Amino acid sequence: MRTPRMLTSFAYGALAVLALAGTVAVADEAATIRASLAKVLPEYTPTSVQPTQIDGLYQVEIGPQVMFVTEDGRYLIDGAIVDLESRENITETARGKARLRAIDGIGQENMVVFKAPDERHSITVFTDIDCGYCRKLHEQMAGYEEAGISVRYLFYPRSGVGSPSYDKAVAVWCADDRQAAMTRAKSGAEVNSKACRNPVQQHMELGELMGIRGTPAIVLDNGEMVPGYVEPKRLAALLEQGVN
């Protein structure tokens, strides 16, 4: 006859077996999905394959990109999935988190940062030194700082590696005072060219993965991407909406 203690031990053991089986199943399905994606996207390696709250559907991340794949690895969904009860856009929420993880992977030490004295929010801006609206945004730096918004710059010279815009980005990075050099370059002044190890191509590769086509491209601190120039007061309002 089983005592209550014996039943409790039995129950815990059964739960442990079920949990292990579930873990193995998830691992097997993730491996199936990775193998399927490798056939059609051999140049990309998923950074994460995780089950979603929807039975049989997995969330796949490739850096900042997010897609959804069925557990058998046959069907891929690249679009909005909306929870009709909560009205949450599950896809966009996932993309925002993936963008932030990818940006964190770059590291703030590999950005040109203009930190607000009383920081309330931090935005990441993909910038091209020769882009007119990028220069307009930089001209408003005092307004962003006054609104408590720190600006972290990533370089995205749209004309590509080896172009004059690319060379200016490298010169800014290699300058003794990067913030001052960025301001000079965006005002049209020449920055003395120096060669050094720099993250410009890494910034550009991340921008490509994020699907950036124009600059400035602003990533808010909740991961939402906002294309184009946004003046300080409006940007502060957008950021506050993201908090609430």
Side-chain angles (χ1 to χ4, degrees), residues 122-221:
S122 178
I123 63 171
T124 305
V125 180
F126 286 85
T127 191
D128 181 336
I129 288 170
D130 290 324
C131 148
Y133 279 104
C134 296
R135 291 185 173 187
K136 185 173 182 179
L137 185 151
H138 194 77
E139 288 170 0
Q140 300 299 314
M141 191 60 67
Y144 296 115
E145 292 179 350
E146 185 179 348
I149 303 170
S150 293
V151 177
R152 310 188 306 177
Y153 277 127
L154 296 177
F155 295 105
Y156 194 75
R158 295 167 300 168
S159 46
V161 176
S163 66
S165 294
Y166 176 86
D167 292 341
K168 290 175 186 177
V170 172
V172 167
W173 182 262
C174 297
D176 294 332
D177 184 336
R178 291 170 185 156
Q179 287 82 2
M182 180 72 87
T183 298
R184 289 200 308 274
K186 284 184 176 289
S187 70
E190 185 175 347
V191 176
N192 292 332
S193 180
K194 288 184 181 179
C196 70
R197 290 188 62 181
N198 64 81
V200 177
Q201 288 194 47
Q202 186 184 10
H203 294 178
M204 295 171 69
E205 289 167 5
L206 177 58
E208 288 291 331
L209 281 173
M210 285 192 178
I212 290 172
R213 295 293 175 265
T215 53
I218 303 170
V219 181
L220 306 185
D221 50 12

Side-chain angles (χ1 to χ4, degrees), residues 75-96:
Y75 298 101
L76 183 150
I77 301 169
D78 184 16
I81 298 176
V82 179
D83 184 330
L84 294 180
E85 289 188 6
S86 66
R87 305 295 178 91
E88 177 190 4
N89 185 327
I90 295 171
T91 302
E92 189 51 41
T93 298
R95 284 176 178 162

